Amino acid sequence: DLEGFEESIAETHGVELIGIPSGCFPRLDSMLDGWQGFGVLAAEPGIGKTTLLLQTGLGIVPTNEDAAFVFVSLEMGRTAMMRRLVSQTTRIPYRTLRKGEKDQDEGEDGLHFSEQTRSRLRRGLENLRDLAPRIAILDSEDFSGGISVEEFGERLVQRVEAFKAKTGCSRAFVVVDHLGKLPTGPQANLSTLERDDAKISALLSAQRRLGSDPIVVISQ
């Protein structure tokens, strides 16, 4: 196994970061040596876990020409996730994006936005259109059919690899939201701890198959 070891470690010598840099959190990038491997981001509901990883993905795409962003939303549908992405790129709060600004009358476009907010919306949408070809949103419809957690991992690998081939990217930053929503299939009779262990094992296996593509799963 040690045959060629020196040559193999030389591949990463001299590089600034081994993993994928976020482009927006330089201190975190330095601590993690770039996003790599498998990770779990756990916190109470409403803390901002999804927002943090969306911001990371939206930072990775424009600063890494060979990287794609794959977000697996098992709780929100594609439309809701699109709004979250638009909120991130426009810096318009999600609630304001959905309901408008209270102190603004309806404009000709039907929006209750000030001119400043309209301008932010236009600029943000232009930026998102540029990034969109390398962003994939997968939801529960992509993993339907009463599959097991192992089948989920298999399907995830297939979809990530297919998207990389479609975009010509060599790497992908993959986020799975969230652990509790992963399918259990025939393991539904197991304890919560046993189910979570099976889910983590399946995602670890998927990440190892993907190689240089980091997977981060959100957990409450």
Side-chain angles (χ1 to χ4, degrees), residues 10-16:
E11 294 175 2
T12 54
H13 280 208
V15 301
E16 184 177 354

Side-chain angles (χ1 to χ4, degrees), residues 40-214:
V40 179
L41 179 61
E44 295 179 356
I47 292 293
K49 303 180 295 297
T50 301
T51 299
L52 173 64
L53 291 178
L54 279 178
Q55 189 173 348
T56 300
L58 288 170
I60 283 174
V61 174
T63 54
N64 298 270
E65 294 182 355
D66 64 335
F69 176 31
V70 179
F71 193 97
V72 182
S73 177
L74 300 176
E75 189 168 37
M76 295 184 186
R78 286 178 55 82
T79 301
M81 284 310 305
M82 281 291 296
R83 294 194 193 102
R84 294 291 293 268
L85 285 171
V86 171
S87 176
Q88 283 289 310
T89 53
T90 61
R91 296 294 186 264
I92 299 173
Y94 185 80
R95 188 176 180 84
T96 301
L97 192 65
R98 293 221 61 189
K99 303 189 69 175
E101 295 170 300
K102 290 183 178 180
D103 57 344
Q104 295 295 324
D105 295 329
E106 182 178 321
E108 294 181 359
D109 52 9
L111 300 176
H112 291 249
F113 283 162
S114 65
E115 284 306 313
Q116 182 181 18
T117 303
R118 278 188 176 84
S119 178
R120 288 166 62 188
L121 179 64
R122 286 192 295 269
R123 290 197 307 270
L125 288 175
E126 288 175 4
N127 290 337
L128 188 55
R129 287 189 183 97
D130 290 338
L131 303 179
R134 287 190 285 137
I135 299 174
I137 301 174
L138 306 178
D139 62 14
S140 57
E141 293 297 317
D142 294 287
F143 300 93
S144 59
I147 61 175
S148 67
V149 68
E150 291 80 12
E151 290 169 326
F152 173 89
E154 177 70 24
R155 201 174 293 184
L156 177 61
V157 170
Q158 292 173 355
R159 283 174 171 51
V160 172
E161 293 288 15
F163 189 62
K164 285 162 58 182
K166 177 182 177 180
T167 58
C169 292
S170 61
R171 301 182 293 176
F173 177 64
V174 184
V175 176
V176 179
D177 188 14
H178 59 81
L179 186 66
K181 293 294 183 178
L182 261 68
T184 54
Q187 299 171 326
N189 61 330
L190 300 178
S191 69
T192 301
L193 185 59
E194 290 171 326
R195 288 199 300 270
D196 284 352
D197 185 56
K199 294 172 183 179
I200 292 294
S201 295
L203 289 173
L204 268 170
S205 177
Q207 194 283 315
R208 287 168 182 154
R209 288 183 59 191
L210 289 170
S212 62
D213 301 336

